[in-house]
Amino acid sequence: MSEVFIRESDLDDGPTREPLLEIVDLVKHFPVRRGLLGRQRHVLRAVDGVSLQIRRGETLGLVGESGCGKSTVGRCLLQLQRVTGGEIRFRGEPIQQLSERALRPLRRHIQVVFQDPYESLNPRHTVADILREPFFVHRLPVDRTSLCELLATVGLEPDALNRYPYEFSGGQRQRIGIARAIALQPELLVLDEAVSALDVSVQAQILNLLLGLQARMQLTMLFISHNLAVVRHIADRVAVMYLGRIVEVIDAEHIATRARHPYTRLLVASIPAPDKALPDSAGDTATEMPSPMAPPPGCRFHTRCPRAQPRCRVDEPQPTRAAGDAQQWYACHYPEDV
């Protein structure tokens, strides 16, 4: 038997390292209210049953089109948004129901780098003030020498401490944001489209910086992006998300040659330098992603899938372990051949 069906809540995605973060059947719905009385008319299903594990020391890339729910997953695990259902475990302990007071000591271990380096830094604060902020929030001592060392870690000179964010380029501002995020030596770093606002050459520099920091600090990272080419460069594994659900998890090294889900193939084919190992059947489709307020029945990708059959319109595909690869699973009735 070449395929093994599994429960999504039981996915461990690899046996070698213990998970630092576990997401089990995560659900986040937003009520859509309309009318004079503000009554709920619809529900936006941003995240609709996501299960993932991130092992210590690895980088998991979460990729998908805009509007698929990937940034909402990041905000939920950071507890910036309360979940509708499911469980988030950090070091094996559930955190989704903790009060803000109980979350405070935990936040120093989970830090975030936001997308826009122009908006994520307070323009009225000097760089020194920005870097002191996490120490102040957690009531930890810090001196100017430590701040200079922190700047050197991200490739900036000590004289940057007395300057303001507007005096720096976009790449330099993102380095400041990264310095703030690693100031307290966190275990988990969430990067939400952290390089999408930067030029291609600057993106490469920031990605290399992150890889160096990960090796030096033993960081675990969740890298969220719509750009599969970027994710493939930095991630160990890739989770592909479509319309609120994970459709495939695969080793980043093999995504161009062993991807089974048609949507993953579509993303790979959309990279400007397409991999010649992919067949022509992985071409683009003209239709847009359906609204998360009215997801299609059955397989949510069937409205755009070139391999869709009548079964896809009715039955929801279950997670299936790929033959010969314990780290890969996909949710598709008619997966691509490899």
Side-chain angles (χ1 to χ4, degrees):
M1 184 175 181
S2 61
E3 297 176 341
V4 180
F5 292 94
I6 51 179
R7 293 183 301 171
E8 191 167 354
S9 59
D10 291 338
L11 296 171
D12 59 12
D13 297 329
T16 55
R17 284 174 286 178
E18 64 174 350
L20 177 65
L21 181 80
E22 299 174 87
I23 302 173
V24 182
D25 297 325
L26 180 66
V27 175
K28 178 59 181 178
H29 293 170
F30 296 93
V32 179
R33 304 183 185 278
R34 294 179 180 174
L36 294 176
L37 299 179
R39 293 176 178 173
Q40 180 175 327
R41 299 295 184 183
H42 302 281
V43 173
L44 192 153
R45 301 173 180 271
V47 180
D48 209 17
V50 166
S51 295
L52 285 173
Q53 291 189 349
I54 308 179
R55 302 189 296 265
R56 287 184 180 273
E58 81 163 341
T59 298
L60 177 68
L62 184 58
V63 66
E65 294 172 274
S66 297
C68 72
K70 56 188 184 299
S71 291
T72 303
V73 171
R75 287 193 288 268
C76 286
L77 70 89
L78 289 163
Q79 293 298 284
L80 300 179
Q81 292 176 340
R82 292 295 185 178
V83 305
T84 305
E87 193 170 63
I88 301 172
R89 304 180 194 137
F90 183 72
R91 302 174 183 157
E93 298 294 329
I95 65 172
Q96 74 280 353
Q97 298 297 336
L98 294 179
S99 65
E100 187 59 38
R101 182 175 182 178
L103 280 170
R104 180 179 288 270
L106 185 66
R107 292 195 184 279
R108 65 174 295 184
H109 302 290
I110 307 176
Q111 290 292 312
V112 60
V113 179
F114 293 103
Q115 175 180 0
D116 193 344
Y118 299 93
E119 297 292 335
S120 61
L121 303 178
N122 191 325
R124 298 184 179 182
H125 287 180
T126 64
V127 172
D129 294 332
I130 292 170
L131 298 184
R132 285 193 191 101
E133 184 177 12
F135 295 95
F136 174 78
V137 169
H138 292 278
R139 300 178 181 178
L140 297 173
V142 64
D143 54 27
R144 190 176 181 86
T145 300
S146 299
L147 297 182
C148 291
E149 293 174 353
L150 191 57
L151 283 179
T153 302
V154 298
L156 294 176
E157 298 296 328
D159 61 3
L161 286 176
N162 298 323
R163 298 161 62 188
Y164 290 85
Y166 74 87
E167 301 179 63
F168 297 91
S169 65
Q172 290 173 323
R173 294 186 198 189
Q174 199 61 296
R175 289 175 185 268
I176 296 170
I178 293 171
R180 179 178 59 186
I182 66 171
L184 301 180
Q185 298 185 336
E187 296 178 66
L188 176 65
L189 193 60
V190 179
L191 300 116
D192 187 6
E193 299 279 8
V195 299
S196 63
L198 306 175
D199 294 338
V200 175
S201 60
V202 180
Q203 284 184 7
Q205 296 172 14
I206 298 299
L207 292 176
N208 290 333
L209 170 64
L210 291 170
L211 289 171
L213 290 174
Q214 182 183 36
R216 187 185 313 172
M217 302 176 64
Q218 300 299 306
L219 283 171
T220 303
M221 298 195 296
L222 174 63
F223 192 91
I224 301 170
S225 178
H226 66 278
N227 190 332
L228 182 57
V230 170
V231 170
R232 189 167 60 170
H233 176 76
I234 193 172
D236 299 301
R237 292 184 300 132
V238 179
V240 182
M241 191 168 184
Y242 182 80
L243 207 58
R245 292 184 179 172
I246 303 298
V247 298
E248 185 162 15
V249 174
I250 184 172
D251 188 273
E253 182 182 358
H254 301 136
I255 193 168
T257 55
R258 298 184 187 176
R260 302 296 304 274
H261 199 282
Y263 181 61
T264 308
R265 292 283 184 118
L266 177 65
L267 293 179
V268 174
S270 68
I271 297 175
D275 199 309
K276 300 302 182 182
L278 279 178
D280 294 337
S281 62
D284 199 355
T285 59
T287 56
E288 295 182 357
M289 186 171 64
S291 169
M293 287 193 293
C299 175
R300 298 191 174 191
F301 187 59
H302 81 257
T303 59
R304 306 172 68 190
C305 182
R307 301 173 65 88
Q309 302 293 325
R311 177 188 180 189
C312 304
R313 301 178 178 89
V314 180
D315 296 335
E316 180 182 345
Q318 298 303 309
T320 305
R321 187 76 69 185
D325 189 345
Q327 297 190 46
Q328 181 182 1
W329 62 265
Y330 55 88
C332 181
H333 293 305
Y334 304 99
E336 299 273 3
D337 297 327
V338 295

